[in-house]
Amino acid sequence: MNAVITVLGKDNVGILAKVSNECAAVDVNIIEVTQSVLQGMFAMIMFVDITKCTVPFAQLVDALESKGEEMGVKIHVMHEDIFNAMHKI
Amino acid sequence: MINSHDILETINMIDNENLDVRTITMGISLLSCIDDDIDKACEKVYDKICRYAENLVKTGEDISKEYGIPIIHKRISVTPIAMLAAACPTKNPVKFAKALDQAADTVGVNFVGGYSALVHKGFAQGDYALIESIPEALSVTEKVCSSVNIGSTKAGINMDAVAKMGKVIRQTAELTADRDCIGAAKLVVFCNAPEDNPFMAGAFHGAGEPDCVINVGVSGPGVVRAVLAKSGDCNITEVADLIKKTAFKITRTGQLVAQEASKRLSVPFGIVDLSLAPTPAIGDSVAYILEEMGLEQCGAHGTTACLALLNDAVKKGGVMASSHVGGLSGAFIPVTEDAGMIEAARSKTLTLTKLEAMTAVCSVGLDMIAIPGDTSADIISGIIADEAAIGMVNSKTTAVRLIPAIGKKAGEELNFGGLLGNGPIMDINPKSPAKFISRGGRIPAPMQSLKN
């Protein structure tokens, strides 16, 4: 079971590290990361495997969202099925 | 793997274009609660709703969190209460309304629909008493919604009921005059009412429905408008295609939410209602879509054609995205709930006559329209009869949700707050249809009812 973590906002040091640490702490495995910085704007899309996640998914969502607020970026954590439903026939 | 463009598009729709699932509505049959002792019946109603919908709100919130898609309302629709009132005809059915209101409070939903009667061919036992009790029921409860079906393509139009409902709408407004006449905003008069509609105020759980069912209403006017805004000067065929593609995506989210809710609550999935339901929030407006198509303002000549295109494209796009489509399915045009319509009504570009034409090609009818407080019951009945005739002849649902603004005149405003919004009181034609309305009887079903 996979989820998609997106991070959008003003670039600063350690965004990727902090998000990765949050994931590692609850056994969420990172499968793929795409990241770019364009004109100071940070954009990252991360595919993660949440099968072995040690906390309820909702808790992971809350933890990452508040981490995003700390860093001044917007973090979304969403189950991949929402994207599959919307964009695949 | 999902591509990043698709991911960012979805997130943009949610963050900036008001994409949401408007409602998860649990339909509950109350036929098993019928009892000739009204107190016992009310107790059974309360217990059954609380038992079945115990986890509805929590499940909706969980799904919303997991998929990152806002689910705005969790609601309940029930068997038309007139069917329960039939078993205890000497008692005041308002007790049922209070039981529904308490149950809604207990399970945490924001509306419960079904204080209803289906009288398109005539009044059965319980129907008349229930209709008479609607003004009181809507004034002493907060979360109960009421609807009455007074006509259908198969049965014609019950003009006795039309006459009665003109009076009931006025009384309902009068009894809630101290709260901006909000009672009338929770009362819908239908022709061809769907039995699986998840949207309030007209939701009820039809007699042909299963014991319990999950219906989902989608939304997303803001998303459709944004797509058109980005499309530039394309021709109208391309506009229709863009709307179809967008409606497909919106509906797929509704289908996903419906399936998940059904699985987690162990309740069968009924339908997805493919509707563009506006809110007063800026950007979440059906009127703005029509304006994006090229109208200076909603209500201008060309509005009906734009709405017809929109309504049709929404259905064509949505129907492939869901395994079962039902309810009202189309574009809603509730005036006080739509920022663009409010502006158009204030500037008098959008008039009641134009709205009537629009209802011939959209999914509902004259919805959330404030009318002068001195409008007579006969005139309200005349408006209902016109709307019902459009629905009957075109084999479609039409509805009337008018709010007589007691003590106020055209040009003044009503403000309900929240999703019910606010808006100007619109001018009506003051000529009297009193003799026509007082004739009573039934308008015969049209030729198109004879399909067998």
Side-chain angles (χ1 to χ4, degrees):
Chain A
M1 205 165 54
N2 294 339
V4 177
I5 302 173
T6 58
V7 185
L8 299 167
K10 196 172 170 298
D11 190 27
N12 54 59
V13 176
I15 299 177
L16 177 52
K18 283 173 188 160
V19 173
S20 311
N21 273 339
E22 284 291 323
C23 292
V26 291
D27 279 354
V28 167
N29 190 32
I30 297 166
I31 305 169
E32 191 188 314
V33 185
T34 338
Q35 189 230 286
S36 66
V37 179
L38 203 63
Q39 293 172 340
M41 289 302 286
F42 180 92
M44 178 173 80
I45 298 172
M46 194 180 249
F47 287 84
V48 296
D49 181 352
I50 52 169
T51 318
K52 291 179 184 157
C53 186
T54 55
V55 296
F57 186 66
Q59 205 173 312
L60 175 70
V61 175
D62 288 337
L64 281 164
E65 279 178 359
S66 56
K67 194 53 107 184
E69 277 166 33
E70 272 173 35
M71 294 187 282
V73 293
K74 183 88 183 157
I75 299 190
H76 288 272
V77 189
M78 294 154 81
H79 196 290
E80 68 168 347
D81 282 354
I82 184 90
F83 303 105
N84 287 329
M86 230 178 179
H87 300 284
K88 288 186 179 171
I89 296 178
Chain B
M1 196 61 86
I2 316 148
N3 81 46
S4 37
H5 174 265
D6 292 342
I7 291 171
L8 295 176
E9 183 189 47
T10 302
I11 288 172
N12 187 43
M13 283 179 181
I14 294 168
D15 276 3
N16 303 321
E17 296 165 1
N18 299 309
L19 174 67
D20 55 50
V21 168
R22 186 51 50 85
T23 179
I24 300 181
T25 302
M26 177 182 269
I28 303 174
S29 168
L30 298 181
L31 293 174
S32 60
C33 306
I34 292 176
D35 199 301
D36 56 7
D37 177 337
I38 191 166
D39 293 317
K40 272 192 198 158
C42 286
E43 207 179 303
K44 288 189 210 171
V45 165
Y46 177 84
D47 288 346
K48 184 164 185 179
I49 293 175
C50 292
R51 198 166 67 247
Y52 279 44
E54 190 186 3
N55 295 318
L56 175 63
V57 173
K58 166 127 195 356
T59 304
E61 285 166 358
D62 288 349
I63 293 171
S64 177
K65 190 107 198 169
E66 216 159 290
Y67 293 100
I69 176 108
I71 299 171
I72 310 296
H73 302 299
K74 281 65 89 177
R75 292 170 166 173
I76 292 168
S77 63
V78 298
T79 306
I81 292 297
M83 292 183 186
L84 282 77
C88 30
T90 58
K91 298 289 192 295
N92 183 352
V94 169
K95 279 192 174 177
F96 284 112
K98 290 179 180 163
L100 293 176
D101 210 36
Q102 277 167 8
D105 269 340
T106 306
V107 298
V109 295
N110 63 354
F111 276 129
V112 51
Y115 198 75
S116 306
L118 312 179
V119 295
H120 34 284
K121 214 164 187 178
F123 300 97
Q125 182 150 296
D127 290 340
Y128 203 80
L130 183 116
I131 291 173
E132 289 241 283
S133 76
I134 288 172
E136 186 191 348
L138 295 182
S139 70
V140 299
T141 60
E142 269 185 28
K143 296 177 176 168
V144 174
C145 292
S146 177
S147 54
V148 176
N149 193 58
I150 50 86
S152 75
T153 302
K154 275 281 182 195
I157 300 172
N158 178 351
M159 288 302 293
D160 295 316
V162 168
K164 182 73 192 161
M165 287 315 295
K167 297 188 183 92
V168 168
I169 289 175
R170 261 206 74 86
Q171 286 162 4
T172 306
E174 281 164 5
L175 284 184
T176 51
D178 56 333
R179 286 166 273 159
D180 271 317
C181 311
I182 198 165
K186 295 183 282 180
L187 171 58
V188 187
V189 184
F190 273 118
C191 177
N192 290 323
E195 301 203 339
D196 51 8
N197 161 29
F199 286 101
M200 296 297 166
F204 64 88
H205 186 73
E209 295 283 308
D211 191 45
C212 189
V213 72
I214 288 289
N215 297 322
V216 163
V218 300
S219 182
V223 183
V224 174
R225 185 215 178 190
V227 167
L228 295 186
K230 284 177 223 150
S231 69
D233 289 331
C234 58
N235 73 26
I236 210 72
T237 308
E238 289 161 329
V239 166
D241 275 342
L242 283 169
I243 298 170
K244 279 196 288 187
K245 285 176 190 159
T246 312
F248 176 83
K249 290 175 186 173
I250 294 170
T251 309
R252 290 280 277 201
T253 60
Q255 170 79 10
L256 175 70
V257 166
Q259 278 172 334
E260 273 302 311
S262 156
K263 193 167 80 188
R264 292 181 193 195
L265 292 161
S266 303
V267 168
F269 158 56
I271 55 98
V272 173
D273 188 322
L274 320 173
S275 284
L276 290 185
T279 67
I282 296 298
D284 208 17
S285 154
V286 168
Y288 288 163
I289 300 175
L290 307 178
E291 290 168 12
E292 204 63 63
M293 285 188 205
L295 303 172
E296 185 182 349
Q297 191 167 34
C298 177
H301 293 295
T303 300
T304 311
C306 287
L307 183 60
L309 178 150
L310 173 67
N311 201 50
D312 182 65
V314 165
K315 285 184 219 170
K316 284 175 178 164
V319 80
M320 189 177 151
S322 172
S323 45
H324 296 284
V325 173
L328 294 161
S329 285
F332 291 171
I333 51 168
V335 176
T336 68
E337 297 176 5
D338 185 307
M341 301 241 176
I342 295 168
E343 285 163 25
R346 271 189 194 135
S347 66
K348 297 191 192 274
T349 310
L350 184 62
T351 60
L352 201 57
T353 44
K354 190 64 184 174
L355 279 161
E356 188 177 319
M358 290 161 74
T359 64
V361 299
C362 78
S363 68
V364 271
L366 293 173
D367 198 13
M368 290 303 285
I369 296 170
I371 56 171
D374 60 358
T375 308
S376 71
D378 292 329
I379 290 178
I380 297 173
S381 293
I383 296 172
I384 295 171
D386 282 345
E387 235 0 76
I390 291 172
M392 175 182 76
V393 169
N394 293 301
S395 305
K396 74 182 285 290
T397 303
T398 46
V400 169
R401 184 160 51 144
L402 298 177
I403 302 105
I406 304 301
K408 294 191 177 181
K409 294 193 290 290
E412 292 183 69
E413 302 242 339
L414 279 185
N415 188 3
F416 309 111
L419 271 181
L420 295 172
N422 63 84
I425 296 157
M426 298 181 75
D427 282 318
I428 54 142
N429 182 335
K431 297 287 182 207
S432 172
K435 186 170 179 198
F436 163 59
I437 298 301
S438 69
R439 284 176 189 270
R442 185 150 52 94
I443 296 182
M447 282 303 287
Q448 47 270 53
S449 69
L450 303 174
K451 282 188 176 164
N452 292 343

PDB file of all heavy atoms in Angstrom, chain B residues 26-48:
ATOM      1  N   MET B  26     -26.331   8.699   4.299  1.00  0.00           N
ATOM      2  CA  MET B  26     -26.778   7.332   4.588  1.00  0.00           C
ATOM      3  C   MET B  26     -28.296   7.302   4.526  1.00  0.00           C
ATOM      4  O   MET B  26     -28.975   8.046   5.240  1.00  0.00           O
ATOM      5  CB  MET B  26     -26.283   6.905   5.972  1.00  0.00           C
ATOM      6  CG  MET B  26     -26.766   5.514   6.367  1.00  0.00           C
ATOM      7  SD  MET B  26     -26.214   5.041   8.033  1.00  0.00           S
ATOM      8  CE  MET B  26     -24.672   4.232   7.654  1.00  0.00           C
ATOM      9  N   GLY B  27     -28.821   6.472   3.640  1.00  0.00           N
ATOM     10  CA  GLY B  27     -30.273   6.305   3.544  1.00  0.00           C
ATOM     11  C   GLY B  27     -30.701   5.184   4.475  1.00  0.00           C
ATOM     12  O   GLY B  27     -30.121   4.096   4.449  1.00  0.00           O
ATOM     13  N   ILE B  28     -31.678   5.445   5.331  1.00  0.00           N
ATOM     14  CA  ILE B  28     -32.120   4.434   6.296  1.00  0.00           C
ATOM     15  C   ILE B  28     -33.634   4.245   6.156  1.00  0.00           C
ATOM     16  O   ILE B  28     -34.395   5.212   6.218  1.00  0.00           O
ATOM     17  CB  ILE B  28     -31.786   4.866   7.743  1.00  0.00           C
ATOM     18  CG1 ILE B  28     -30.281   5.125   7.896  1.00  0.00           C
ATOM     19  CG2 ILE B  28     -32.262   3.825   8.752  1.00  0.00           C
ATOM     20  CD1 ILE B  28     -29.875   5.703   9.253  1.00  0.00           C
ATOM     21  N   SER B  29     -34.038   2.998   5.969  1.00  0.00           N
ATOM     22  CA  SER B  29     -35.469   2.712   5.903  1.00  0.00           C
ATOM     23  C   SER B  29     -36.052   2.686   7.314  1.00  0.00           C
ATOM     24  O   SER B  29     -35.516   2.024   8.203  1.00  0.00           O
ATOM     25  CB  SER B  29     -35.708   1.363   5.225  1.00  0.00           C
ATOM     26  OG  SER B  29     -37.051   0.990   5.424  1.00  0.00           O
ATOM     27  N   LEU B  30     -37.147   3.396   7.500  1.00  0.00           N
ATOM     28  CA  LEU B  30     -37.796   3.399   8.813  1.00  0.00           C
ATOM     29  C   LEU B  30     -39.085   2.575   8.800  1.00  0.00           C
ATOM     30  O   LEU B  30     -39.880   2.646   9.729  1.00  0.00           O
ATOM     31  CB  LEU B  30     -38.102   4.839   9.249  1.00  0.00           C
ATOM     32  CG  LEU B  30     -36.893   5.760   9.438  1.00  0.00           C
ATOM     33  CD1 LEU B  30     -37.340   7.132   9.901  1.00  0.00           C
ATOM     34  CD2 LEU B  30     -35.886   5.173  10.432  1.00  0.00           C
ATOM     35  N   LEU B  31     -39.270   1.783   7.727  1.00  0.00           N
ATOM     36  CA  LEU B  31     -40.511   0.999   7.634  1.00  0.00           C
ATOM     37  C   LEU B  31     -40.642   0.031   8.811  1.00  0.00           C
ATOM     38  O   LEU B  31     -41.741  -0.277   9.261  1.00  0.00           O
ATOM     39  CB  LEU B  31     -40.565   0.241   6.297  1.00  0.00           C
ATOM     40  CG  LEU B  31     -40.692   1.153   5.063  1.00  0.00           C
ATOM     41  CD1 LEU B  31     -40.586   0.345   3.777  1.00  0.00           C
ATOM     42  CD2 LEU B  31     -42.014   1.923   5.085  1.00  0.00           C
ATOM     43  N   SER B  32     -39.494  -0.431   9.318  1.00  0.00           N
ATOM     44  CA  SER B  32     -39.538  -1.369  10.450  1.00  0.00           C
ATOM     45  C   SER B  32     -39.911  -0.664  11.761  1.00  0.00           C
ATOM     46  O   SER B  32     -40.095  -1.315  12.783  1.00  0.00           O
ATOM     47  CB  SER B  32     -38.182  -2.059  10.606  1.00  0.00           C
ATOM     48  OG  SER B  32     -37.183  -1.087  10.851  1.00  0.00           O
ATOM     49  N   CYS B  33     -40.006   0.667  11.739  1.00  0.00           N
ATOM     50  CA  CYS B  33     -40.316   1.415  12.975  1.00  0.00           C
ATOM     51  C   CYS B  33     -41.796   1.774  13.074  1.00  0.00           C
ATOM     52  O   CYS B  33     -42.209   2.463  14.015  1.00  0.00           O
ATOM     53  CB  CYS B  33     -39.490   2.698  13.035  1.00  0.00           C
ATOM     54  SG  CYS B  33     -37.729   2.440  12.864  1.00  0.00           S
ATOM     55  N   ILE B  34     -42.581   1.354  12.094  1.00  0.00           N
ATOM     56  CA  ILE B  34     -44.000   1.737  12.101  1.00  0.00           C
ATOM     57  C   ILE B  34     -44.699   1.147  13.325  1.00  0.00           C
ATOM     58  O   ILE B  34     -44.513  -0.032  13.656  1.00  0.00           O
ATOM     59  CB  ILE B  34     -44.685   1.274  10.792  1.00  0.00           C
ATOM     60  CG1 ILE B  34     -44.134   2.087   9.619  1.00  0.00           C
ATOM     61  CG2 ILE B  34     -46.209   1.391  10.892  1.00  0.00           C
ATOM     62  CD1 ILE B  34     -44.645   1.664   8.264  1.00  0.00           C
ATOM     63  N   ASP B  35     -45.466   1.997  14.011  1.00  0.00           N
ATOM     64  CA  ASP B  35     -46.173   1.542  15.207  1.00  0.00           C
ATOM     65  C   ASP B  35     -47.394   2.444  15.385  1.00  0.00           C
ATOM     66  O   ASP B  35     -47.324   3.643  15.103  1.00  0.00           O
ATOM     67  CB  ASP B  35     -45.248   1.675  16.433  1.00  0.00           C
ATOM     68  CG  ASP B  35     -45.708   0.814  17.593  1.00  0.00           C
ATOM     69  OD1 ASP B  35     -46.852   1.001  18.072  1.00  0.00           O
ATOM     70  OD2 ASP B  35     -44.924  -0.074  18.009  1.00  0.00           O
ATOM     71  N   ASP B  36     -48.521   1.864  15.865  1.00  0.00           N
ATOM     72  CA  ASP B  36     -49.697   2.730  16.029  1.00  0.00           C
ATOM     73  C   ASP B  36     -49.607   3.588  17.296  1.00  0.00           C
ATOM     74  O   ASP B  36     -50.397   4.494  17.499  1.00  0.00           O
ATOM     75  CB  ASP B  36     -51.008   1.931  15.976  1.00  0.00           C
ATOM     76  CG  ASP B  36     -51.049   0.813  16.986  1.00  0.00           C
ATOM     77  OD1 ASP B  36     -50.115   0.737  17.818  1.00  0.00           O
ATOM     78  OD2 ASP B  36     -52.003   0.007  16.954  1.00  0.00           O
ATOM     79  N   ASP B  37     -48.614   3.295  18.140  1.00  0.00           N
ATOM     80  CA  ASP B  37     -48.326   4.169  19.286  1.00  0.00           C
ATOM     81  C   ASP B  37     -47.187   5.104  18.861  1.00  0.00           C
ATOM     82  O   ASP B  37     -46.041   4.662  18.666  1.00  0.00           O
ATOM     83  CB  ASP B  37     -47.907   3.304  20.487  1.00  0.00           C
ATOM     84  CG  ASP B  37     -47.524   4.155  21.697  1.00  0.00           C
ATOM     85  OD1 ASP B  37     -47.163   5.342  21.499  1.00  0.00           O
ATOM     86  OD2 ASP B  37     -47.565   3.633  22.822  1.00  0.00           O
ATOM     87  N   ILE B  38     -47.490   6.383  18.701  1.00  0.00           N
ATOM     88  CA  ILE B  38     -46.494   7.306  18.111  1.00  0.00           C
ATOM     89  C   ILE B  38     -45.232   7.414  18.971  1.00  0.00           C
ATOM     90  O   ILE B  38     -44.117   7.545  18.451  1.00  0.00           O
ATOM     91  CB  ILE B  38     -47.112   8.705  17.836  1.00  0.00           C
ATOM     92  CG1 ILE B  38     -46.149   9.543  16.977  1.00  0.00           C
ATOM     93  CG2 ILE B  38     -47.479   9.431  19.115  1.00  0.00           C
ATOM     94  CD1 ILE B  38     -46.746  10.775  16.362  1.00  0.00           C
ATOM     95  N   ASP B  39     -45.386   7.314  20.297  1.00  0.00           N
ATOM     96  CA  ASP B  39     -44.200   7.410  21.159  1.00  0.00           C
ATOM     97  C   ASP B  39     -43.259   6.233  20.949  1.00  0.00           C
ATOM     98  O   ASP B  39     -42.042   6.390  20.889  1.00  0.00           O
ATOM     99  CB  ASP B  39     -44.614   7.517  22.634  1.00  0.00           C
ATOM    100  CG  ASP B  39     -45.333   8.827  22.899  1.00  0.00           C
ATOM    101  OD1 ASP B  39     -44.863   9.865  22.383  1.00  0.00           O
ATOM    102  OD2 ASP B  39     -46.380   8.820  23.568  1.00  0.00           O
ATOM    103  N   LYS B  40     -43.887   5.044  20.817  1.00  0.00           N
ATOM    104  CA  LYS B  40     -43.056   3.853  20.546  1.00  0.00           C
ATOM    105  C   LYS B  40     -42.381   3.986  19.190  1.00  0.00           C
ATOM    106  O   LYS B  40     -41.206   3.657  19.025  1.00  0.00           O
ATOM    107  CB  LYS B  40     -43.942   2.595  20.552  1.00  0.00           C
ATOM    108  CG  LYS B  40     -44.094   1.970  21.923  1.00  0.00           C
ATOM    109  CD  LYS B  40     -44.712   0.599  21.773  1.00  0.00           C
ATOM    110  CE  LYS B  40     -45.272   0.153  23.107  1.00  0.00           C
ATOM    111  NZ  LYS B  40     -46.301  -0.866  22.964  1.00  0.00           N
ATOM    112  N   ALA B  41     -43.136   4.466  18.192  1.00  0.00           N
ATOM    113  CA  ALA B  41     -42.581   4.614  16.842  1.00  0.00           C
ATOM    114  C   ALA B  41     -41.381   5.570  16.871  1.00  0.00           C
ATOM    115  O   ALA B  41     -40.339   5.293  16.274  1.00  0.00           O
ATOM    116  CB  ALA B  41     -43.650   5.120  15.886  1.00  0.00           C
ATOM    117  N   CYS B  42     -41.531   6.686  17.599  1.00  0.00           N
ATOM    118  CA  CYS B  42     -40.445   7.672  17.666  1.00  0.00           C
ATOM    119  C   CYS B  42     -39.205   7.070  18.343  1.00  0.00           C
ATOM    120  O   CYS B  42     -38.071   7.329  17.920  1.00  0.00           O
ATOM    121  CB  CYS B  42     -40.895   8.914  18.433  1.00  0.00           C
ATOM    122  SG  CYS B  42     -42.023   9.924  17.484  1.00  0.00           S
ATOM    123  N   GLU B  43     -39.448   6.272  19.373  1.00  0.00           N
ATOM    124  CA  GLU B  43     -38.331   5.628  20.061  1.00  0.00           C
ATOM    125  C   GLU B  43     -37.580   4.687  19.115  1.00  0.00           C
ATOM    126  O   GLU B  43     -36.351   4.690  19.061  1.00  0.00           O
ATOM    127  CB  GLU B  43     -38.909   4.818  21.232  1.00  0.00           C
ATOM    128  CG  GLU B  43     -37.960   4.614  22.380  1.00  0.00           C
ATOM    129  CD  GLU B  43     -38.661   3.819  23.488  1.00  0.00           C
ATOM    130  OE1 GLU B  43     -39.726   4.270  23.963  1.00  0.00           O
ATOM    131  OE2 GLU B  43     -38.154   2.735  23.834  1.00  0.00           O
ATOM    132  N   LYS B  44     -38.368   3.939  18.325  1.00  0.00           N
ATOM    133  CA  LYS B  44     -37.737   3.018  17.359  1.00  0.00           C
ATOM    134  C   LYS B  44     -36.956   3.797  16.295  1.00  0.00           C
ATOM    135  O   LYS B  44     -35.879   3.388  15.889  1.00  0.00           O
ATOM    136  CB  LYS B  44     -38.813   2.177  16.670  1.00  0.00           C
ATOM    137  CG  LYS B  44     -39.452   1.111  17.531  1.00  0.00           C
ATOM    138  CD  LYS B  44     -40.332   0.232  16.651  1.00  0.00           C
ATOM    139  CE  LYS B  44     -41.502  -0.345  17.400  1.00  0.00           C
ATOM    140  NZ  LYS B  44     -42.452  -1.013  16.502  1.00  0.00           N
ATOM    141  N   VAL B  45     -37.527   4.920  15.862  1.00  0.00           N
ATOM    142  CA  VAL B  45     -36.862   5.747  14.842  1.00  0.00           C
ATOM    143  C   VAL B  45     -35.516   6.235  15.385  1.00  0.00           C
ATOM    144  O   VAL B  45     -34.471   6.097  14.731  1.00  0.00           O
ATOM    145  CB  VAL B  45     -37.753   6.966  14.463  1.00  0.00           C
ATOM    146  CG1 VAL B  45     -36.954   8.021  13.699  1.00  0.00           C
ATOM    147  CG2 VAL B  45     -38.946   6.511  13.632  1.00  0.00           C
ATOM    148  N   TYR B  46     -35.557   6.780  16.593  1.00  0.00           N
ATOM    149  CA  TYR B  46     -34.329   7.308  17.201  1.00  0.00           C
ATOM    150  C   TYR B  46     -33.283   6.189  17.339  1.00  0.00           C
ATOM    151  O   TYR B  46     -32.123   6.353  16.950  1.00  0.00           O
ATOM    152  CB  TYR B  46     -34.661   7.915  18.572  1.00  0.00           C
ATOM    153  CG  TYR B  46     -33.439   8.416  19.314  1.00  0.00           C
ATOM    154  CD1 TYR B  46     -32.926   9.680  19.071  1.00  0.00           C
ATOM    155  CD2 TYR B  46     -32.788   7.599  20.246  1.00  0.00           C
ATOM    156  CE1 TYR B  46     -31.791  10.135  19.734  1.00  0.00           C
ATOM    157  CE2 TYR B  46     -31.653   8.043  20.914  1.00  0.00           C
ATOM    158  CZ  TYR B  46     -31.163   9.310  20.658  1.00  0.00           C
ATOM    159  OH  TYR B  46     -30.036   9.743  21.300  1.00  0.00           O
ATOM    160  N   ASP B  47     -33.732   5.050  17.861  1.00  0.00           N
ATOM    161  CA  ASP B  47     -32.791   3.945  18.079  1.00  0.00           C
ATOM    162  C   ASP B  47     -32.182   3.443  16.774  1.00  0.00           C
ATOM    163  O   ASP B  47     -30.990   3.201  16.691  1.00  0.00           O
ATOM    164  CB  ASP B  47     -33.495   2.772  18.796  1.00  0.00           C
ATOM    165  CG  ASP B  47     -33.787   3.112  20.247  1.00  0.00           C
ATOM    166  OD1 ASP B  47     -33.214   4.108  20.742  1.00  0.00           O
ATOM    167  OD2 ASP B  47     -34.589   2.398  20.875  1.00  0.00           O
ATOM    168  N   LYS B  48     -33.031   3.295  15.764  1.00  0.00           N
ATOM    169  CA  LYS B  48     -32.526   2.726  14.505  1.00  0.00           C
ATOM    170  C   LYS B  48     -31.505   3.669  13.851  1.00  0.00           C
ATOM    171  O   LYS B  48     -30.448   3.229  13.400  1.00  0.00           O
ATOM    172  CB  LYS B  48     -33.678   2.439  13.535  1.00  0.00           C
ATOM    173  CG  LYS B  48     -33.194   1.756  12.257  1.00  0.00           C
ATOM    174  CD  LYS B  48     -34.296   1.109  11.447  1.00  0.00           C
ATOM    175  CE  LYS B  48     -33.702   0.357  10.260  1.00  0.00           C
ATOM    176  NZ  LYS B  48     -34.702  -0.307   9.438  1.00  0.00           N
TER     177      LYS B  48
END
